[in-house]
């Protein structure tokens, strides 16, 4: 897709599955199951969607999926479906890991930073050798020293080896002309979303604030969220603004629609397929 002068592609690292109840928080199963059917273990299918931005000068990757550094027990619990994998998806677009200039992780949960690193000859090394990686400093601190409630969500091997290439941010920042990160608390304290502006067009990688299109409804908030009332406030602030701008919104985990255009209609927010 063209966005002003930029080219955007959603790219896939395959799919996985999480407990449907955890994905929809206070929403009862008879409601969510109509949108996301559960398997025999009550899990629903989720995508691992990353966003590639080519500005003409720089190649920027938002999120790096789940990676491949997990064992058979992990694969079974989360029903990991590879292929495709992120490196193969990049290859299909004619890109090698060394072509990526910038990696932005919205946060460091294992399903968002898996390919930050890879194993090579018994060592774990950065997957993107030339890239600068951007993360909020507060998110990194929580990831390396998580509370008991967050511990299962962080796997240090997925991100630690890229630390020498990492730039730690303290709040909102411009990463490149037209590419900004904004701290949007809720899912984690320091989750950062990515705002892309080119020409008069806007796209927004909304991360786990709205993991799938079903979560556009305000009370549909994951029970994983550490600060659900802040997720609610963030959604009520962001979604009307994005709809007013007719922005493209990119979801990290929707298995059917990686992105939609948000619009206003009769005072309501509507999602138009692209
Ligand atoms: Zn996620």
């Amino acid at each position: 897709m063209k966005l002003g002068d930029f080219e955007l592609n959603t790219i896939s690292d395959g799919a996985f599955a999480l407990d449907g109840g955890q994905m929809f928080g206070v929403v009862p199963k008879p409601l969510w199951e109509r949108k996301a059917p559960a398997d025999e273990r009550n899990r629903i299918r989720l995508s691992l969607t990353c966003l590639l931005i080519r500005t003409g000068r720089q190649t920027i990757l938002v999120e790096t999926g789940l990676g491949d550094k997990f064992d058979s027990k992990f694969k079974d619990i989360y029903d990991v479906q590879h292929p495709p994998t992120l490196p193969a998806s990049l290859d299909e677009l004619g890109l090698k890991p060394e072509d990526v200039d910038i990696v932005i992780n919205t946060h460091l949960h294992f399903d968002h930073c898996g390919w930050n690193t890879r194993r090579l000859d018994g060592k774990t090394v950065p997957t993107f050798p030339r890239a600068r990686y951007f993360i909020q400093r507060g998110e990194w601190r929580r990831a390396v020293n998580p509370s008991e409630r967050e511990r299962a969500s962080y796997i240090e091997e997925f991100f630690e080896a890229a630390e020498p290439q990492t730039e730690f941010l303290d709040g909102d920042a411009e990463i490149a002309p037209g590419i900004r990160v904004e701290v949007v608390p809720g899912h984690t304290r320091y989750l950062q979303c990515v705002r892309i502006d080119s020409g008069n067009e806007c796209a927004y990688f909304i991360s786990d604030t709205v993991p799938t299109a079903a979560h556009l409804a305000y009370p549909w908030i994951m029970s994983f969220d550490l600060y659900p009332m802040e997720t609610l406030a963030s959604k009520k602030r962001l979604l009307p603004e994005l709809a007013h701008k007719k922005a493209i919104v990119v979801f990290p985990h929707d298995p059917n629609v990686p992105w939609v255009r948000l619009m206003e209609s009769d005072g309501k927010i509507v999602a138009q397929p692209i």
Side-chain angles (χ1 to χ4, degrees):
M1 168 193 293
K2 277 272 177 204
L3 186 95
D5 300 330
F6 297 170
E7 192 178 345
L8 306 187
N9 293 87
T10 57
I11 48 179
S12 176
D13 189 39
F16 73 132
L18 290 173
D19 183 88
Q22 289 178 308
M23 280 304 293
F24 294 107
V26 298
V27 179
K29 185 170 180 180
L31 289 185
W32 62 252
E33 203 177 25
R34 282 188 234 150
K35 305 214 173 198
D39 70 9
E40 70 288 352
R41 288 157 74 175
N42 206 45
R43 298 173 303 187
I44 63 164
R45 178 128 307 276
L46 296 166
S47 73
L48 291 156
T49 302
C50 312
L51 179 68
L52 185 78
I53 309 159
R54 284 179 281 190
T55 68
R57 287 187 175 178
Q58 283 172 310
T59 299
I60 299 165
L61 181 60
V62 180
E63 312 290 53
T64 65
L66 189 56
D68 65 350
K69 298 179 292 304
F70 48 78
D71 59 18
S72 57
K73 185 178 166 200
F74 183 100
K75 187 174 192 301
D76 175 58
I77 291 171
Y78 297 109
D79 194 22
V80 181
Q81 302 289 329
H82 282 158
T85 63
L86 176 63
S89 301
L90 283 171
D91 194 62
E92 265 180 36
L93 293 170
L95 291 168
K96 300 274 168 253
E98 49 273 26
D99 296 325
V100 174
D101 299 298
I102 289 172
V103 173
I104 301 171
N105 297 113
T106 62
H107 61 305
L108 293 171
H109 285 170
F110 63 69
D111 54 321
H112 293 257
C113 67
W115 285 106
N116 277 23
T117 64
R118 66 190 174 103
R119 289 180 185 155
L120 180 70
D121 303 329
K123 271 177 60 183
T124 305
V125 299
T127 305
F128 305 99
R130 287 182 45 255
R132 289 184 297 149
Y133 292 67
F134 288 87
I135 190 71
Q136 291 291 320
R137 187 187 312 277
E139 174 67 19
W140 185 282
R141 286 193 174 148
R142 299 286 280 263
V144 296
N145 189 22
S147 70
E148 290 80 356
R149 193 174 185 276
E150 302 163 274
R151 188 149 290 152
S153 301
Y154 292 111
I155 302 174
E156 272 191 47
E157 192 193 1
F158 285 18
F159 57 86
E160 200 181 26
E163 183 174 5
Q165 291 170 227
T166 299
E167 301 210 9
F168 296 101
L169 303 170
D170 296 297
D172 300 357
E174 183 175 67
I175 304 301
I179 317 281
R180 290 185 61 78
V181 294
E182 300 176 352
V183 176
V184 178
H187 184 61
T188 70
R189 169 61 66 216
Y190 298 98
L191 179 129
Q192 57 184 0
C193 295
V194 184
R195 186 184 290 263
I196 303 130
D197 286 293
S198 186
N200 284 322
E201 300 254 32
C202 176
Y204 201 82
F205 192 95
I206 201 155
S207 189
D208 283 346
T209 312
V210 182
T212 75
H215 294 85
L216 286 167
Y218 289 141
W220 292 50
I221 291 170
M222 293 187 281
S223 63
F224 296 107
D225 287 20
L226 296 177
Y227 310 99
M229 293 306 287
E230 293 188 39
T231 304
L232 179 63
S234 294
K235 287 168 77 171
K236 289 174 86 169
R237 175 177 63 81
L238 268 175
L239 295 179
E241 188 220 319
L242 294 169
H244 186 67
K245 281 195 170 150
K246 300 185 173 61
I248 308 285
V249 172
V250 189
F251 307 114
H253 296 308
D254 195 300
N256 304 309
V257 282
W259 48 21
V260 297
R261 187 182 293 279
L262 283 195
M263 314 271 272
E264 288 171 330
S265 174
D266 296 332
K268 280 191 179 165
I269 295 169
V270 291
Q272 279 208 337
I274 294 171

